[in-house]
Amino acid sequence: MSVLLDVKNLRTHFHTHRGLVKAVDGVSFHINEKEIVGLVGESGCGKSVSMLSVMQLIAIPPGKIVSGSAMFDGHDLLKYKPKGDEMRAIRGAKIAMIFQEPMTSLNPVLTIARQVTETLELHLKMDTQTARKRAVELLKLVGIPEAESRLDNYPHQFSGGMRQRVMIAIALSCNPKILIADEPTTAVDVTTQAQLLELMQEMVNRFNTSLVIVTHNLGVVARYADRIYVMYAGRIVESGLSEDIFLRPLHPYTIGLLKSVPQLGQTKSDRELVPISGLPPNLIDMPQNCAFLPRCSYHKERCRLEPWPELHAVGAQHYVSCYVDTRETS
Amino acid sequence: MTAYIIRRLLLGVIILLLVTLLVFLAMRLLPGDPLMIFVSQFQTESFTPEQIEELRREFGLDRSLPMQYINWLGDILRGDMGKSIIMGQDVGYLISTRLPVTVYFGVMSFVVSAFLGVIFGVICALRRGKWLDSVVTVLANIGITVPAFWIGILLMYLFSLTLHWLPTSGYVAPTENLAQSLRAAIMPVICLSLFSVAALTRQTRSAMLEVVSQDYIRTAWAKGLRERVIVLRHTIKNAMIPVITILGLQVGLIFGGSVLIETVFNIPGMGRLLANSLFSHDYQIVQAGTLVIAVVVVLSNLIVDISYGWFDPRIRYG
Ligand SMILES: Nc1ncnc2c1ncn2[C@@H]1O[C@H](COP(=O)(O)OP(=O)(O)OP(=O)(O)O)[C@@H](O)[C@H]1O
Ligand SMILES: [Mg+2]
């Protein structure tokens, strides 16, 4: 299995009037060929910013990618100019993105046809007629009924779920190597959510694309992801294969997350759901030591005194950043 | 759509009736008697009270106010705008010679405003926070606050009296000599469009900045599109939606401005005709003139409202 995208030590900070927000602070992750990777964490922990940084889609200012590298196809994406030709040749063609708001992610004044064909014309150099034909095929593929007649509709004539299907069609139009889906199903109902995820899984299999699912829904990740990164306050605190994370979680935050959602095959009476106490930290003026410390029930003296621990290997592909061996404590 | 237009036209008729009624009443409430002004023009002849009463009857001013209004309205509906009390000429004829002049300047000013306002606004938004943006924004704020006639006098002093580049005033018909006509139009058009350019620049700038932060623009960037395509295809059309509203208001403002500017630049248009007639209490001209302007404003607003649909497919006329 070869590595497609290798991100190392990514730091993205925002200069706000309230202070410096270290939204992403030393994140490393990689995406292998044809795998589905989950990135989980509470709202505001820096999941979107991590992904947007790789694509250089962060607004500068207030944002700034302070350090890091993102190796893709032998090149560091972060060395490219954000608006330059090299970066644009990656976006939408090699790495595509789907965003969390289907209602607002499509341009309200342009037809669906225009929005699907523009990537085809740009990256695959198709002429208008070929691009239109291909657009119809793509829309059929993602399950839009009567695709031909709906091609010249506007986004407001589509439901939220349908718009997200259009977004998926656009994202897959140029056969990208990686598809990043940033909470693709947060804004739709549960049934639509399941349909969209099934569709994405089917599509990435068909197109041999790797998929990154960014979400705070552990259930979604459990069902689809091969590998998982758990993020907290701008850092990865644990990563591993799905079974590592779900069966042998080690970081207190991961353990807390798992306790706060129902597990597969569990009924409510089996076990009480416990939300993690406390709130995620303010990313301005973060302390040197572990950011999860104030909410952690496992913490030891060492956690208070020493800086936030680095990730260390605890299994073949299992990494955790914690001083405490939570297996002993429980 | 057709139903919508018909409904809007009916509404327009009601607005026009209200405008004429208001103007009619306002004219009668102004202190001063048009006949006295008329009579005072003639130093040599003196009029006997009987002759004045005779004139009053001739212009129908001896009747009650409601009767006067109804008679006037009836005449208008029959296409008769009456006779000027002071000038003695047919009002319809007077307006037909003056209106084209005002429309000539008005259309030029409107086009210049729309064009420059949108372009300046887009450039400011794209160069947000840079020196160009700051300079244009300051100028736009000045343009909104400074009185146009004052700018007119300044320009006249600078370009005509001092530098002798442009004629101080006057009007040359474009059919007569196009180059001369445009040269004479430069300063009046600057004055007429100053406020509109400023207002449209500010509105376009803020609308562009609003659109630029929308999710669908982030989607456009994520597709790898060129910045030029993102601005021209994805941003401007969305940003135009709020700008159209402001654009619609400019028609009325430019017509209103022509009253002052035509006086300053001595242009024989509707604006100056109205201003003079207002001073001499020439009821017929003021009433018919404001009606004509109101018709133009109502119709142009309707056109603006219909053009929304072209920019925003979500709009349903119903
Ligand atoms: N443009 C910005 N200006 C200032 N701060 C920002 C900006 N964008 C993101 N941030 C900050 O960066 C942090 C991480 O944001 P991010 O959107 O990555 O969170 P997230 O994990 O994706 O959360 P969610 O699950 O809600 O999408 C947040 O604390 C946010 O306040
Ligand atoms: Mg997010």
Side-chain angles (χ1 to χ4, degrees):
Chain A
M1 231 188 325
S2 68
V3 176
L4 271 178
L5 175 69
D6 196 8
V7 176
K8 288 243 154 60
N9 198 29
L10 178 68
R11 285 174 210 277
T12 305
H13 297 173
F14 290 94
H15 294 269
T16 67
H17 56 276
R18 300 201 332 279
L20 184 67
V21 179
K22 296 185 175 177
V24 173
D25 206 25
V27 160
S28 300
F29 64 92
H30 66 272
I31 314 292
N32 294 320
E33 235 169 45
K34 296 182 208 173
E35 80 172 336
I36 300 185
V37 174
L39 178 59
V40 291
E42 281 164 300
S43 191
C45 71
K47 305 182 296 291
S48 300
V49 172
S50 303
M51 294 301 137
L52 291 169
S53 298
V54 171
M55 299 277 273
Q56 294 215 59
L57 289 174
I58 296 290
I60 310 170
K64 186 169 174 25
I65 299 175
V66 183
S67 78
S69 64
M71 296 308 291
F72 180 84
D73 244 355
H75 294 279
D76 182 358
L77 300 183
L78 302 186
K79 290 247 162 28
Y80 291 151
K81 284 203 214 76
K83 293 179 183 176
D85 289 347
E86 290 135 318
M87 195 66 237
R88 290 197 304 104
I90 301 288
R91 291 185 196 134
K94 301 278 190 278
I95 306 179
M97 255 185 120
I98 299 171
F99 298 101
Q100 63 193 58
E101 306 85 3
M103 299 315 260
T104 54
S105 288
L106 289 168
N107 195 323
V109 303
L110 298 179
T111 61
I112 298 298
R114 179 72 276 185
Q115 300 189 57
V116 181
T117 55
E118 63 184 357
T119 43
L120 296 168
E121 288 170 11
L122 175 73
H123 296 300
L124 304 183
K125 309 277 175 262
M126 285 185 188
D127 60 67
T128 320
Q129 278 314 309
T130 326
R132 262 187 87 89
K133 282 202 198 83
R134 180 72 187 136
V136 173
E137 285 167 23
L138 284 164
L139 291 181
K140 279 184 181 155
L141 213 58
V142 297
I144 307 260
E146 298 157 51
E148 274 107 346
S149 61
R150 305 215 62 180
L151 204 54
D152 292 309
N153 281 12
Y154 287 92
H156 71 272
Q157 292 160 298
F158 282 65
S159 68
M162 284 297 159
R163 285 186 219 189
Q164 206 60 315
R165 281 171 195 267
V166 173
M167 285 298 291
I168 293 173
I170 294 173
L172 291 171
S173 62
C174 298
N175 209 343
K177 291 263 179 272
I178 302 175
L179 172 60
I180 300 171
D182 188 354
E183 316 211 28
T185 58
T186 317
V188 294
D189 61 77
V190 186
T191 331
T192 316
Q193 177 178 339
Q195 286 168 354
L196 286 174
L197 286 162
E198 293 294 333
L199 173 71
M200 271 194 275
Q201 191 182 33
E202 187 196 321
M203 289 295 124
V204 295
N205 281 338
R206 180 193 284 250
F207 286 81
N208 289 325
T209 302
S210 299
L211 174 65
V212 183
I213 303 180
V214 177
T215 179
H216 36 225
N217 185 335
L218 271 176
V220 167
V221 170
R223 194 165 156 80
Y224 299 96
D226 304 316
R227 225 150 43 79
I228 293 169
Y229 288 94
V230 181
M231 206 170 165
Y232 188 78
R235 296 207 193 189
I236 306 285
V237 293
E238 184 164 6
S239 73
L241 298 175
S242 272
E243 61 253 39
D244 289 331
I245 301 294
F246 280 95
L247 304 178
R248 295 175 289 278
L250 288 174
H251 196 281
Y253 177 61
T254 317
I255 296 170
L257 271 184
L258 289 172
K259 279 191 185 151
S260 67
V261 295
Q263 300 291 293
L264 238 63
Q266 234 177 21
T267 55
K268 217 177 172 188
S269 53
D270 283 351
R271 200 197 55 187
E272 205 56 32
L273 298 180
V274 223
I276 308 176
S277 64
L279 289 170
N282 181 353
L283 295 178
I284 301 170
D285 306 325
M286 291 260 288
Q288 281 296 298
N289 55 13
C290 175
F292 190 61
L293 184 67
R295 305 168 75 183
C296 183
S297 52
Y298 297 89
H299 70 261
K300 297 222 165 84
E301 191 57 20
R302 190 177 171 196
C303 306
R304 213 178 296 283
L305 301 174
E306 294 189 35
W308 196 330
E310 296 294 318
L311 279 172
H312 56 269
V314 285
Q317 297 201 56
H318 194 175
Y319 295 82
V320 65
S321 85
C322 186
Y323 291 123
V324 183
D325 191 341
T326 48
R327 279 170 300 192
E328 290 170 359
T329 332
S330 51
Chain B
M1 184 76 174
T2 323
Y4 172 79
I5 293 177
I6 291 172
R7 210 142 28 89
R8 283 292 307 261
L9 287 175
L10 286 177
L11 188 68
V13 169
I14 296 173
I15 291 171
L16 292 179
L17 276 177
L18 286 175
V19 167
T20 54
L21 190 61
L22 267 176
V23 171
F24 178 87
L25 287 176
M27 287 311 291
R28 314 292 141 147
L29 288 175
L30 278 181
D33 182 344
L35 287 175
M36 285 309 161
I37 294 172
F38 173 71
V39 164
S40 65
Q41 287 177 328
F42 306 88
Q43 271 99 18
T44 46
E45 295 176 51
S46 62
F47 286 75
T48 60
E50 288 74 36
Q51 282 171 305
I52 291 176
E53 279 319 303
E54 175 64 37
L55 278 172
R56 202 179 291 285
R57 251 196 310 284
E58 193 188 320
F59 285 104
L61 297 178
D62 55 338
R63 288 175 235 173
S64 68
L65 283 189
M67 273 318 288
Q68 284 187 34
Y69 180 70
I70 288 167
N71 283 342
W72 176 80
L73 207 58
D75 287 346
I76 288 288
L77 290 178
R78 261 177 271 117
D80 177 9
M81 291 182 170
K83 219 171 99 180
S84 159
I85 301 173
I86 310 294
M87 294 185 262
Q89 279 167 296
D90 180 53
V91 175
Y93 170 77
L94 277 174
I95 288 180
S96 73
T97 57
R98 307 299 183 93
L99 186 63
V101 177
T102 299
V103 168
Y104 176 61
F105 286 95
V107 167
M108 263 198 283
S109 304
F110 184 80
V111 171
V112 164
S113 311
F115 198 70
L116 291 185
V118 168
I119 289 194
F120 288 163
V122 168
I123 291 174
C124 281
L126 294 182
R127 294 274 171 277
R128 179 190 197 173
K130 305 275 163 58
W131 67 267
L132 189 64
D133 175 31
S134 316
V135 169
V136 176
T137 306
V138 168
L139 287 180
N141 286 334
I142 293 174
I144 282 187
T145 40
V146 156
F149 71 90
W150 182 72
I151 289 288
I153 292 166
L154 275 189
L155 289 176
M156 219 191 264
Y157 180 77
L158 183 65
F159 290 108
S160 309
L161 300 181
T162 313
L163 295 169
H164 302 289
W165 288 355
L166 297 170
T168 37
S169 58
Y171 161 77
V172 183
T175 45
E176 196 176 303
N177 184 337
L178 188 62
Q180 282 295 327
S181 173
L182 291 177
R183 241 164 69 84
I186 291 178
M187 288 195 293
V189 167
I190 289 178
C191 293
L192 279 174
S193 45
L194 189 70
F195 178 88
S196 303
V197 171
L200 286 166
T201 299
R202 296 207 322 180
Q203 181 63 48
T204 305
R205 179 182 182 273
S206 70
M208 286 288 291
L209 291 178
E210 169 85 29
V211 171
V212 159
S213 65
Q214 296 295 311
D215 291 331
Y216 53 81
I217 298 299
R218 188 181 54 187
T219 305
W221 282 110
K223 285 170 158 181
L225 297 172
R226 265 175 227 288
E227 183 170 23
R228 189 163 46 87
V229 175
I230 292 175
V231 172
L232 294 179
R233 187 186 294 161
H234 286 263
T235 315
I236 289 185
K237 207 174 164 201
N238 278 290
M240 280 307 108
I241 297 165
V243 172
I244 295 292
T245 316
I246 305 295
L247 196 61
L249 296 177
Q250 304 313 313
V251 177
L253 287 176
I254 287 173
F255 256 107
S258 70
V259 172
L260 224 56
I261 298 305
E262 286 179 1
T263 307
V264 170
F265 287 98
N266 198 22
I267 294 165
M270 279 285 282
R272 205 182 58 172
L273 179 69
L274 272 181
N276 291 342
S277 310
L278 200 60
F279 291 128
S280 59
H281 293 65
D282 205 331
Y283 293 162
Q284 313 293 342
I285 294 184
V286 174
Q287 285 165 203
T290 44
L291 175 61
V292 168
I293 290 181
V295 167
V296 173
V297 170
V298 164
L299 284 182
S300 55
N301 279 342
L302 179 59
I303 291 171
V304 163
D305 281 356
I306 290 169
S307 73
Y308 272 123
W310 188 78
F311 283 97
D312 191 349
R314 289 163 294 188
I315 290 199
R316 286 275 156 279
Y317 296 99

